[in-house]
Amino acid sequence: KSNLIVRIMTEIDGSTQLFNLPGQSNIDNRNLFLTTTGHIPLLVNESTQSNAQLFEINNYNINLENSFVTEIERNCWRFGKFNSNNEIDNDLQYICFTDPNKIFRKGYLYRIIYDAINVLPSAFNLILIRDCALWLKNITTNSNRNSNIQLNINPIHRICAIGASQTGRLLRTMIQYDFLVDNFGNKEAFDAISIWAAGASQGQFNQLAGQPSQALPHLSTIQFPFAPIYSINHQQQSNHQQGLHDLINKRNSSIKFMYFNTSVEYHRGDASLLHLSIDVVLLIILSQLGLQVMLKVFLLI
């Protein structure tokens, strides 16, 4: 673990936590888990951190226009969790309301800003995935320095990375920053990449204190460059142009790509730009004509 302390912001969608599944006991709406259910949150440096901030946001949008943002006074909440005996445990994976008149509500987004401990760069995960694939391609009986372990497997000659939804966004991030080739730029980690229903987004996979499981409204801002070859960032006055595949195209990568997109990403709001991109439309036409292309895009309706 790292002793690095970083001030972070996390956003939690109350609707994803504050409901009961069949067979569950009642959810205590005074408690809120600091990340998406099933994931590991970044822990606060000190449970009594006085400069931590909590905001309740209604009608969220990217630019906070027409949103109602309310800061909750620091003496109304704390890091910890109410247990079944109505006592507060020092469980720093949660925050809870100490004000008896307040609860966390469905349909609201909660933004917490605090100093987190044991923070590591998320990009280590991208490097590990790449290096694992490279190792599998070049494995030998002498690959392991421990002479007591014998590896009776042959090298793998072809590796295809497949990712759907969240994992697809991870692969899109690896493509954007070209975590697909060894450190010398000679060996490809993957021969093909197939991405399903990841939409036009990347993710916080290459950031210090990155939180890939952020609420979707925050995720939807990580869209540029959204199309493989040609994207325009209209949020910048310069209308910066860039493609998701720019770095790998510069080195004439031989990797084959297949993107599968559906109406799901379109209607949830993070793929309409990708679906309407000129270069994607052209790639679909070329694919339908049977022309040889290194990249194919499919829209499944």
Side-chain angles (χ1 to χ4, degrees):
K1 290 187 176 181
S2 164
N3 291 322
L4 182 63
I5 298 174
V6 176
R7 191 157 184 82
I8 68 166
M9 177 188 75
T10 186
E11 292 176 338
I12 310 301
D13 185 350
S15 299
T16 64
Q17 296 190 27
L18 305 175
F19 63 91
N20 295 321
L21 294 174
Q24 282 188 335
S25 59
N26 291 331
I27 298 295
D28 192 333
N29 289 354
R30 295 173 297 177
N31 299 325
L32 191 71
F33 192 50
L34 282 176
T35 188
T36 301
T37 303
H39 293 75
I40 301 174
L42 297 173
L43 301 183
V44 65
N45 181 36
E46 296 178 355
S47 60
T48 58
Q49 191 177 116
S50 60
N51 64 343
Q53 295 175 281
L54 172 64
F55 299 87
E56 184 180 72
I57 304 174
N58 189 17
N59 191 30
Y60 187 98
N61 62 61
I62 294 172
N63 298 316
L64 293 181
E65 296 174 358
N66 302 318
S67 295
F68 302 97
V69 183
T70 304
E71 182 170 5
I72 309 298
E73 294 183 8
R74 187 65 181 87
N75 60 0
C76 293
W77 65 280
R78 58 162 288 180
F79 290 92
K81 175 186 179 183
F82 277 98
N83 60 28
S84 57
N85 295 322
N86 206 34
E87 300 170 339
I88 297 179
D89 294 331
N90 194 35
D91 187 341
L92 302 185
Q93 297 184 100
Y94 288 82
I95 59 173
C96 63
F97 276 125
T98 53
D99 185 334
N101 298 315
K102 291 185 179 298
I103 60 171
F104 293 104
R105 299 185 284 177
K106 298 178 184 178
Y108 287 77
L109 198 73
Y110 291 92
R111 173 178 296 167
I112 308 104
I113 301 174
Y114 60 98
D115 295 334
I117 190 66
N118 295 331
V119 173
L120 293 172
S122 301
F124 285 159
N125 298 319
L126 306 184
I127 296 171
L128 288 172
I129 294 171
R130 179 201 67 180
D131 287 358
C132 180
L134 289 167
W135 180 77
L136 287 171
K137 281 187 168 184
N138 296 278
I139 192 170
T140 67
T141 55
N142 296 321
S143 293
N144 198 306
R145 295 180 180 179
N146 188 341
S147 59
N148 295 324
I149 298 177
Q150 298 296 324
L151 299 175
N152 297 317
I153 59 176
N154 297 320
I156 297 174
H157 299 292
R158 297 286 186 268
I159 296 180
C160 176
I162 302 174
S165 190
Q166 176 85 317
T167 312
R169 289 192 288 271
L170 181 144
L171 290 175
R172 283 175 58 84
T173 306
M174 293 184 71
I175 293 168
Q176 180 182 358
Y177 297 104
D178 197 9
F179 279 95
L180 306 175
V181 68
D182 68 3
N183 292 333
F184 303 101
N186 298 325
K187 298 179 180 179
E188 299 278 14
F190 306 107
D191 298 277
I193 295 179
S194 179
I195 297 177
W196 293 71
S201 297
Q202 281 73 261
Q204 297 186 26
F205 303 101
N206 190 28
Q207 297 181 17
L208 180 66
Q211 300 170 83
S213 296
Q214 286 275 34
L216 185 60
H218 182 80
L219 238 177
S220 63
T221 63
I222 313 175
Q223 290 186 330
F224 183 82
F226 53 87
I229 302 172
Y230 180 77
S231 307
I232 299 179
N233 189 354
H234 293 290
Q235 293 183 346
Q236 294 184 357
Q237 293 182 353
S238 61
N239 284 335
H240 177 59
Q241 300 178 10
Q242 186 179 345
L244 188 70
H245 288 225
D246 279 2
L247 288 179
I248 60 176
N249 287 340
K250 285 181 180 179
R251 60 178 180 82
N252 296 317
S253 172
S254 61
I255 302 176
K256 295 180 173 61
F257 296 89
M258 297 181 70
Y259 288 93
F260 291 84
N261 299 290
T262 72
S263 58
V264 172
E265 309 94 77
Y266 181 88
H267 290 294
R268 78 185 179 202
D270 69 321
S272 58
L273 293 178
L274 179 68
H275 289 171
L276 300 175
S277 169
I278 295 175
D279 73 323
V280 170
V281 173
L282 289 175
L283 286 167
I284 294 173
I285 294 173
L286 291 174
S287 299
Q288 294 299 319
L289 292 175
L291 298 179
Q292 183 66 27
V293 291
M294 299 298 290
L295 189 155
K296 293 188 178 183
V297 179
F298 300 89
L299 300 183
L300 306 180
I301 299 174

